[in-house]
DNA sequence: CCTAATTTGTACGTATGTATT
DNA sequence: AAATACATACGTACAAATTAG
């Protein structure tokens, strides 16, 4: 195949099976056909990951279509995560995997936690403790420094808003905070609003959650009103803001008979 | 606000703070401003869910911009899941929630199951059984009809490819199949390839998975080499094809000390 | 059932702005 | 500073789907 280099990046000629412009395809729009051809070229390694696609103007010429049509096609590749487009620079291939993906969409934090509106969060404790070695690693602070630890209980909501049966006990750990926020987090009356603000969708950028089954220790079992060694679903979540900075680590233990976690994954429509 | 009805749907005037066309905004493109204004109108309930947005041509007039610009703006609303656009019909508001979403992306089925390449799947049993009432509901077939049940064990992969310690026991249930596929699934030597083909990314459209903690019964505990009543992470998965037809139900029980499930959710960049 | 009007989809052309090289 | 390349934005025309009558 014909290849050449321009402005420091490697180029290649596009697939030319589109140039048979006399053939009128049944229903597929031109921009879709262009996208398919380019995707085909990428998965067939005619454009390797890291190399640039021909410029839009060049594609127009090669494919004998308007720039609008080319851009519409490139948009598909961009949305599929195959290329990135940068003004002044060009379009660069960033992946050669065909766009087969499944995704779980979570519309809100409440959605993520799946506790539902029929539950009630109650703050049990708020204190400052020296972090253990394991937690230090997870919180990204030196072991021995003081972190803020909150303990909260989530219960069914009764008819009149009072707490019903408890079903989840959560330990929350915060890395060292600014003095103002530290005060608020340690004060039981102001901690909950601050907590909700910190874990709000406007601040959150990424959440990592891990599920495992554990046997409950005696203390936690008592708090959840079950017998010692009952099986429990443990959800460990690490919250990061949009810049990637760690906000908090939360570890929740659930009564297995009252809580389960469901996700729905859908194939991305092409 | 001024409202009117046309072609059976309720309309309202758009926010007019964009009409001050003499004000040149610093950096925000016009299509973005139009999108923001429309989103604002939707969350402020000026357009209620289920009602139609003004036609593109009308928006052009109201906002004094070209149709291209309006369409670019509407595209943002569509990608955010706030509206659907239908040729010949119009754009209808389908949600008034601000577009805050998190997504988990799973690139493949292996990714979904998180067993890794260091594991080995071994078929234990394959038989046909009358479905219980609960399974009948889940499989969408009449209770009493025969379904195919497979039992498989997933183990660590040893140095030479042999099975190491087992860590997951999976029960698979298939609704009544065509005779040909039924034979293959019941034959231990051909079942695995068929299974993998059925749960391939080309056929799968949707997966629903639920996690909960359970205490292992004596039989399963023995198969996983742990003591009875050990806590176990149970993953129940229902697989559907792209048309929404149920393919199979799988229930996996895991050794809690050898398996946990992690998902990473990222905020969708706007 | 058919026709006309409406509305979005596709596609062309052109010009200018802005970031990168 | 100049050339290159993508982004934004104007305009026009026709196609295809839907809806109204």
């Amino acid at each position: 195949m014909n290849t050449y280099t321009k402005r420091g990046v490697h180029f290649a000629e596009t697939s030319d099976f589109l140039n048979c412009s006399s053939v009128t395809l049944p229903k597929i729009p031109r921009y879709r056909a262009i996208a398919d051809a380019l995707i085909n070229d990428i998965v067939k390694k005619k454009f390797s990951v890291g190399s640039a696609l021909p410029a839009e103007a060049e594609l127009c010429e090669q494919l004998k279509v308007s720039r609008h049509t080319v851009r519409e096609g490139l948009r598909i590749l961009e949305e599929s995560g195959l290329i990135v487009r940068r003004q002044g620079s060009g379009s660069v291939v960033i992946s050669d995997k065909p766009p087969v993906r499944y995704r779980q969409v979570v519309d809100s934090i409440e959605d993520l936690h799946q506790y539902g509106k029929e539950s009630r969060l109650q703050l049990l404790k708020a204190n400052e403790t020296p972090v253990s070695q394991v937690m230090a690693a997870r919180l990204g602070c030196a072991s021995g420094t003081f972190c803020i630890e909150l303990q909260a209980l989530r219960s069914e909501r009764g008819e009149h808003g009072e707490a019903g049966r408890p079903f989840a006990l959560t330990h929350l750990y915060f890395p060292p905070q600014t003095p103002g926020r530290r005060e608020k987090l340690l004060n039981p009356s102001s901690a909950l609003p601050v907590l909700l603000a910190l874990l709000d969708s406007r601040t959150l950028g990424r959440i990592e959650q891990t599920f495992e089954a554990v046997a409950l220790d005696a203390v936690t079992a008592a708090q959840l009103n079950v017998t010692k060694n009952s099986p429990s679903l443990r959800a460990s979540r690490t919250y990061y803001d949009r810049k990637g900075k760690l906000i908090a680590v939360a570890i929740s233990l659930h009564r297995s008979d009252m809580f389960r976690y469901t996700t729905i994954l859908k194939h991305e429509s092409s």
Side-chain angles (χ1 to χ4, degrees), chain A residues 80-232:
Chain A
S80 302
L82 290 176
I83 64 168
V84 285
R85 302 157 82 187
R86 271 177 320 216
Q87 192 175 161
S89 171
S91 301
V92 175
V93 180
I94 56 168
S95 168
D96 57 3
K97 294 199 195 80
V100 277
R101 304 186 134 194
Y102 298 86
R103 43 150 111 148
Q104 173 198 358
V105 174
V106 177
D107 279 287
S108 66
I109 304 303
E110 293 72 38
D111 226 12
L112 168 77
H113 292 150
Q114 298 194 0
Y115 292 136
K117 293 191 173 155
E118 300 311 307
S119 76
R120 191 173 169 284
L121 191 65
Q122 181 187 357
L123 197 65
L124 298 184
K125 283 203 302 194
N127 59 312
E128 212 166 17
T129 53
V131 295
S132 68
Q133 205 149 14
V134 232
M135 279 311 292
R138 290 193 62 179
L139 288 171
C141 58
S143 103
T145 55
F146 281 76
C147 74
I148 296 168
E149 180 184 359
L150 303 185
Q151 211 181 107
L153 192 67
R154 197 172 278 270
S155 314
E156 288 180 323
R157 182 189 288 277
E159 299 245 344
H160 309 294
E162 86 286 0
R165 291 183 298 162
F167 66 90
L169 180 76
T170 302
H171 288 259
L172 276 151
Y173 301 91
F174 295 88
Q177 300 285 319
T178 57
R181 199 140 71 194
R182 176 178 164 277
E183 282 313 314
K184 284 185 185 153
L185 279 171
L186 289 172
N187 181 346
S189 66
S190 59
L192 269 182
V194 177
L195 174 61
L196 295 178
L198 276 172
L199 301 185
D200 183 90
S201 58
R202 284 183 295 275
T203 50
L204 282 172
R206 193 164 68 93
I207 303 146
E208 208 179 304
Q209 58 180 352
T210 297
F211 298 102
E212 55 195 312
V214 296
L216 286 182
D217 61 87
V219 179
T220 312
Q223 287 174 294
L224 292 175
N225 261 332
V226 291
T227 57
K228 181 173 179 263
N229 286 329
S230 299
S232 171

